[in-house]
Amino acid sequence: MRKLVARRAAVKAACLTAAATVLLAPLSGTATAEPAPPQLAADTLPAELVQAIARDLKMTPTEYLDRAARAQQLRDYARDFRSERPDSYAGAWIGADGKAVVAVTSPDAARIAAADGYQTRLAPVSADSLESSLMQLNQWITSLPRELSEAINSVAVDFLNSQLVISVANTPAGHVLNLPTLIANVKVILSPGGGGPVERRPMGGDTYISAPTSLHDASLRNVDVCSFGFNSVDSAGNALNISAGHCDPNLGKANQQAGVYLPNVKDLPNSPELGTFVNAKLGGQNALDYSVIKLNDRAVRAGMDQPTVRGANGTTLSITGTADPITGAPVCKSGQSSTFTCGFVVADRVETQLYTAEGESKTIRGFASSACTLGGDSGGAIVSGTLALGITSGSNAADAPDCNEANVALAPYGGTATLGIPIRAILADIDESAGGGLGSGIQVRTRPNAG
């Protein structure tokens, strides 16, 4: 009998720090600000999500939606402010009190932001300077031998203290690292050493399994367990789902296609097929981790082409638009292992190195949140309010059996942290690489498919 192993879910290289980061321009290069999409009313949120918001965020549904909307307003303002005053802009975030803050490097810039209704903070280093230091640090990391570079979990930009934060595994290799002295303002924190993948039984409506060959292949020894992300549609009307790139077992091969199945744990080889991976990326020029699954007629008939995210007990949340990550914004995620959990964006730019099975290093760039994510949640949807924010790539809690144990075990290291890949950057990359074919003009579904 084949063993069900969730090796795709535990991306241990994404052991993230809880440092806040500088607010950066869109990763995809699409700088055009869009009007804020509408959000659902508080009384329309599913009960399980309301419970997660109260449990994890200590907020009411109305407070959650309001703060998510304010975060997107701040994102638009900060983008314009930085474009007009690049030397004066030093970051932006939503504070613990829910108020928007803009960091600047000069009193004149502070007066401008204050006149526009924002709280301000003077900082010694601009966002551009911190970005330059981040590039130097990443160049140094990529030059290290693998046994040393693997000890570095992630690098983030902490604009509250105008410094880079490098998370190093609490291992012998991590202890012997000699950081470059030419890069100023580098803080090192120790995080727990990563473990291996965990075995998890698939559960709930948001689970899928995949394998590099047919499930009936006698030589197959395990399958991969991941979570569906956002249902989407391209300009040709193809029903698609966006998940994590590392979930494709044929990632990096000439033919990346692999079947995606709804697991039948009592008869795994005869699990019904729901679609096929048609595109997957891990790293590359835009440093993304995403996959595109073309859903088949069976999946469409089951309702998987609708604008919904599944949570606990089959409840669904309707998606009303897309959003960008902003530090301090409230987020909730859905995944097959931990269902709905919530937290805040704690870093809107994080970079980490992942290694493929062949030993090749891949740089992944995304945002970090404090929402608990377990093994098997990879590819699941992350929302802010009722807006699509990103998909789950990795977590420092992937080895934990449940979020309660993860919260206790990781409390000394700053708590749980999840790496998310921004949905707008994913959509732009899919559209750009489609060449007018499948995936061209892709959008996250925000309206029910009446077809």
Side-chain angles (χ1 to χ4, degrees), residues 27 53 94 122 130 205 210 214 224 254 277 344-345 385 390 410 429 436 439 443 446:
L27 301 180
I53 291 169
I94 299 290
L122 284 175
L130 288 172
S210 59
S214 168
D224 301 319
F277 286 107
F344 294 96
V345 175
L410 293 170
D429 194 74
Q443 295 181 340
T446 56

Side-chain angles (χ1 to χ4, degrees), residues 177-238:
L177 282 172
N178 292 314
L179 293 176
T181 57
L182 296 179
I183 301 177
N185 301 323
V186 176
K187 175 184 177 182
V188 177
I189 64 171
L190 293 178
S191 63
V198 297
E199 180 177 345
R200 302 203 60 86
R201 290 176 60 84
M203 53 185 288
D206 54 356
T207 306
Y208 69 83
I209 60 174
S210 59
T213 60
S214 168
L215 294 182
H216 291 278
D217 187 344
S219 64
L220 189 64
R221 291 293 175 264
N222 56 55
V223 297
D224 301 319
V225 183
C226 280
S227 299
F228 284 111
F230 295 105
N231 291 326
S232 306
V233 62
D234 65 10
S235 56
N238 292 302

Side-chain angles (χ1 to χ4, degrees), residues 348-424:
D348 49 38
R349 176 160 173 169
V350 170
E351 295 191 4
T352 187
Q353 298 293 318
L354 300 184
Y355 285 89
T356 66
E358 294 74 27
E360 185 180 1
S361 174
K362 301 285 187 179
T363 299
I364 306 300
R365 182 185 308 132
F367 63 93
S369 83
S370 57
C372 175
T373 300
L374 302 176
D377 288 337
S378 286
I382 305 172
V383 301
S384 184
T386 59
L387 306 177
L389 189 68
I391 56 104
T392 296
S393 176
S395 167
N396 66 349
D399 299 329
D402 56 60
C403 285
N404 288 333
E405 185 168 324
N407 290 332
V408 172
L410 293 170
Y413 303 98
T416 58
T418 293
L419 175 66
I421 309 299
I423 191 64
R424 288 183 174 172

